[in-house]
Amino acid sequence: MYKIFCILLLMIHSVPGVFAQAPHIEKSEPFDEPDNGYNKVLLMKNGNTFFFHFARKEGIEIEVYNKERKLTATQEITSDMWDTKKMKTIIVAGLYEINNEAVLFVVIAEGRTPTLYRLRFKGTTGAKVREEEVGSASKSRAFAMSKETNSIFVEKDPESDCYAVIFFNGYSKDPDEKIKVIHFDGNHKRLSTAIYDSPDDNFRYLRYIGAVVDGNKRIFISSYGAASLNGDQGKVFISSLKAGDKTFVNKALSFTEDFKDTKSVMLYNHGNNSIQLLTLSFANGQVNFFGNAARGTYVSFMSYIDPESLDLKSVKPIAGQKINEYAHTALNTDLDYKGLPQNMIINKDNSTTILSEELTQKIIEEKTPNGWHTYYYTYMGGIGVNELNADGTEKSGYWIRKLQQAGGLYDPLYISARNKGRWTFLNGSADHNSYMSYDYINTDKNRYIIFNDNDKNFDKDEDDKKRKVVAKVSKLNTICYALDGKGLNKFFLFGDPGDNDVSNSLHIDASDFDKNTGTYATIMVERDGRDRSARIVWIKFD
């Protein structure tokens, strides 16, 4: 009976079309596979698709595809304000459609003073409309030493074209000079500018950890403060700033007393008029206030906050019980899930999806003929999907097995940052990193998980010990899981490669998703033997 059960379970996981229709796929004409660097697709409301690419010494290139998926324009972008041929220290702070234009925010981190530039491009041709310097973070000796990438943030309102720019100088000795916020409308007009005063005089250390823009009305930000680098007397604050005001209103989250190093994802749920704050806090192990280590034990909470009073409505721990129940029954394992929350999605019915991933960082020192060399790796393991009811209680959960090796050290909550277009050369990422991790697509009918894997791992969901580590991209295929609340439907997104020496894989980092049309777009790499080529691919999920 157990053998029959396993066969039936494998059939449920492997047969496409049981829960959801196969997606409709369109492809551009092939082109040479892009070099390592910033590669990003942006879906415009007018039906056009922008493809941004730049490498370390090649400047910025833009390609524009029309509704028929044909290449209609190509632009090479230059600048009178900074050298587009020297991209080593560039930080992409965000890429958004604003007022029918593609708007790229870049931070040039030459020297000790990172400066934000705003580049606007026509939504029809990709031609540059205007380039402006928005502002600079405070000069800092530590910036040059540590290559701190989170000095300037751009947060856009998903419901409008309004956005905020946050300048964060975490190494300032004066807590009242650490955070500066500028609120812009959709025409890039400043609505307000304010310095964020420290909400507690005991906080020698203060860090910006999240923001929400409510149209042209107000901004909310979350901050984490502590009395020492070790997180003594740590606490999380929620603050609001009305358009035109120069002073924030602050309120502490009482349950965060003595929180250690904390990060967050912050969203405005207009359906139930709540600010939702997903916090991830270090619990045990060595911790430094500015450390990003994904080692040790973390605790996570979902807070629901009244946007008018900033009072805490309710708070629920993110325990992942439903993920473990799924693992124990469907995957037949006694192990509990150890992944970290990476992003939060609010659904139309006011439910919430928490996306997690198992992360393990490794630092290896090896002796070479030229001396000792240090290698940094992040192992990206199993995917956790936790569905919460509108009140924060757990509804369902899934654990999807995978094991990938990325170069460099990845921060907790990096998927949330990635989905806003943030990117940098400074993390020492490897050429294959854009293929790593996973993506989540939610439509009105279904939800999907996609990632690249060795096709020999396809039937090893229940046995992680036999799984091959994905460290090279030469023979990867994209796997898709359809989630319908009852189970998983697993299939090769571009068809079963069989025994042929072919593969089709996606740049996960380059993707964009238009929820209104259910269209997911990114770069696809096709391999047939030794021949490789790339395409822009548009995938419409049911």
Side-chain angles (χ1 to χ4, degrees):
M1 287 298 295
Y2 178 74
K3 183 176 182 180
I4 294 175
F5 171 77
C6 292
I7 294 173
L8 290 173
L9 184 63
L10 180 62
M11 291 175 62
I12 290 173
H13 278 231
S14 303
V15 181
V18 174
F19 299 116
Q21 295 181 355
H24 175 68
I25 298 173
E26 298 176 277
K27 303 176 184 178
S28 73
E29 292 297 318
F31 53 87
D32 291 339
E33 186 178 1
D35 297 330
N36 183 38
Y38 182 71
N39 296 292
K40 185 67 176 177
V41 171
L42 179 66
L43 294 170
M44 303 290 289
K45 294 177 183 177
N46 63 9
N48 286 346
T49 300
F50 277 58
F51 170 40
F52 285 79
H53 167 72
F54 51 79
R56 292 177 186 266
K57 299 180 180 180
E58 297 176 2
I60 301 175
E61 297 178 353
I62 301 176
E63 293 183 348
V64 181
Y65 293 82
N66 63 14
K67 295 179 182 179
E68 288 71 40
R69 315 312 190 194
K70 302 297 183 182
L71 179 64
T72 59
T74 301
Q75 306 286 349
E76 292 187 8
I77 306 303
T78 59
S79 172
D80 296 328
M81 298 183 176
W82 50 284
D83 190 349
T84 58
K85 301 294 184 179
K86 295 181 180 179
M87 311 294 283
K88 183 177 180 180
T89 58
I90 194 173
I91 299 165
V92 178
L95 174 63
Y96 302 102
E97 177 177 357
I98 298 175
N99 197 16
N100 303 315
E101 297 175 342
V103 184
L104 179 70
F105 296 91
V106 297
V107 177
I108 307 303
E110 294 285 354
R112 301 178 183 177
T113 307
T115 301
L116 178 69
Y117 295 91
R118 178 176 57 218
L119 288 75
R120 296 162 49 193
F121 305 98
K122 288 184 179 180
T124 51
T125 65
K128 187 167 68 173
V129 176
R130 191 172 183 180
E131 179 182 10
E132 301 166 282
E133 180 180 325
V134 179
S136 299
S138 300
K139 189 174 183 178
S140 172
R141 176 182 63 87
F143 185 91
M145 293 174 59
S146 68
K147 295 185 177 353
E148 169 65 53
T149 63
N150 295 331
S151 59
I152 301 176
F153 297 81
V154 179
E155 303 284 355
K156 182 183 174 297
D157 176 18
E159 306 295 329
S160 73
D161 285 333
C162 299
Y163 61 97
V165 175
I166 297 96
F167 298 91
F168 167 59
N169 181 21
Y171 295 94
S172 171
K173 294 181 179 180
D174 186 349
D176 293 336
E177 295 181 357
K178 289 182 180 291
I179 302 173
K180 176 183 176 181
V181 179
I182 306 176
H183 187 186
F184 291 91
D185 67 12
N187 294 312
H188 309 288
K189 177 183 176 182
R190 295 193 182 202
L191 299 173
S192 57
T193 302
I195 302 297
Y196 182 78
D197 294 333
S198 177
D200 191 321
D201 293 337
N202 293 322
F203 286 170
R204 183 181 176 187
Y205 301 93
L206 185 70
R207 186 173 67 229
Y208 159 83
I209 60 174
V212 164
V213 179
D214 183 17
N216 59 4
K217 301 176 183 177
R218 53 190 172 177
I219 298 173
F220 301 90
I221 76 167
S222 55
S223 63
Y224 167 72
S228 70
L229 285 172
N230 293 324
D232 294 336
Q233 302 176 33
K235 192 179 296 183
V236 174
F237 279 83
I238 300 297
S239 307
S240 64
L241 175 71
K242 292 182 179 179
D245 287 357
K246 295 185 178 181
T247 304
F248 282 89
V249 176
N250 308 311
K251 185 160 288 189
L253 295 183
S254 57
F255 76 94
T256 65
E257 294 279 355
D258 296 324
F259 265 30
K260 293 186 180 294
D261 180 66
T262 298
K263 298 171 175 62
S264 79
V265 178
M266 192 176 183
L267 297 175
Y268 194 159
N269 186 347
H270 292 274
N272 62 14
N273 195 34
S274 292
I275 302 295
Q276 291 189 203
L277 184 71
L278 172 65
T279 51
L280 182 64
S281 301
F282 203 92
N284 296 306
Q286 294 181 348
V287 61
N288 181 283
F289 185 84
F290 293 105
N292 286 318
R295 299 179 294 273
T297 303
Y298 286 79
V299 293
S300 185
F301 294 91
M302 175 69 75
S303 300
Y304 298 84
I305 300 156
D306 182 83
E308 309 304 328
S309 65
L310 302 184
D311 289 339
L312 181 65
K313 293 182 178 181
S314 64
V315 58
K316 295 286 193 305
I318 307 298
Q321 181 178 350
K322 294 296 183 180
I323 297 178
N324 291 331
E325 289 179 4
Y326 175 83
H328 299 161
T329 55
L331 300 183
N332 194 33
T333 177
D334 294 331
L335 299 175
D336 287 339
Y337 184 68
K338 301 296 185 181
L340 297 177
Q342 295 294 341
N343 201 13
M344 166 176 60
I345 293 95
I346 297 175
N347 305 307
K348 283 187 176 181
D349 60 358
N350 293 326
S351 65
T352 301
T353 303
I354 305 297
L355 302 176
S356 300
E357 189 170 29
E358 296 172 320
L359 295 181
T360 303
Q361 295 180 348
K362 288 191 176 181
I363 302 175
I364 300 175
E365 292 188 355
E366 293 185 359
K367 190 174 183 180
T368 69
N370 297 323
W372 287 91
H373 186 81
T374 303
Y375 298 91
Y376 301 90
Y377 300 102
T378 298
Y379 286 85
M380 299 174 169
I383 300 164
V385 181
N386 200 358
E387 304 281 2
L388 308 181
N389 293 306
D391 63 356
T393 56
E394 293 188 45
K395 179 169 58 175
S396 62
Y398 302 97
W399 183 355
I400 298 173
R401 296 287 184 90
K402 70 175 180 65
L403 185 56
Q404 304 162 326
Q405 177 188 290
L409 302 180
Y410 276 68
D411 300 343
L413 299 177
Y414 78 93
I415 291 181
S416 173
R418 181 193 74 193
N419 288 356
K420 298 172 184 176
R422 290 182 188 161
W423 183 91
T424 178
F425 276 115
L426 300 180
N427 64 2
S429 61
D431 291 354
H432 67 269
N433 278 13
S434 61
Y435 294 85
M436 299 296 109
S437 192
Y438 70 98
D439 234 333
Y440 172 83
I441 299 103
N442 60 324
T443 68
D444 290 339
K445 296 181 180 179
N446 294 289
R447 291 161 188 170
Y448 302 85
I449 294 287
I450 61 173
F451 60 92
N452 298 307
D453 203 355
N454 188 311
D455 55 10
K456 294 182 180 179
N457 289 330
F458 190 83
D459 297 325
K460 297 178 181 177
D461 288 347
E462 293 77 31
D463 193 349
D464 228 17
K465 295 181 180 179
K466 296 181 180 180
R467 180 174 297 277
K468 292 181 177 295
V469 179
V470 174
K472 297 181 180 179
V473 301
S474 58
K475 296 183 179 181
L476 296 185
N477 282 282
T478 303
I479 308 297
C480 182
Y481 282 80
L483 293 69
D484 76 336
K486 299 177 182 178
L488 299 178
N489 171 28
K490 177 183 180 182
F491 54 94
F492 288 101
L493 185 58
F494 300 106
D496 190 339
D499 296 328
N500 299 318
D501 189 19
V502 299
S503 63
N504 299 283
S505 52
L506 296 180
H507 281 237
I508 299 298
D509 276 3
S511 68
D512 192 19
F513 177 60
D514 184 349
K515 189 170 177 59
N516 293 324
T517 64
T519 301
Y520 178 89
T522 190
I523 304 167
M524 173 188 183
V525 176
E526 298 175 318
R527 184 187 65 85
D528 187 349
R530 295 183 179 181
D531 297 329
R532 292 171 65 93
S533 62
R535 301 175 187 261
I536 303 298
V537 61
W538 296 265
I539 307 169
K540 190 167 184 178
F541 287 90
D542 181 43

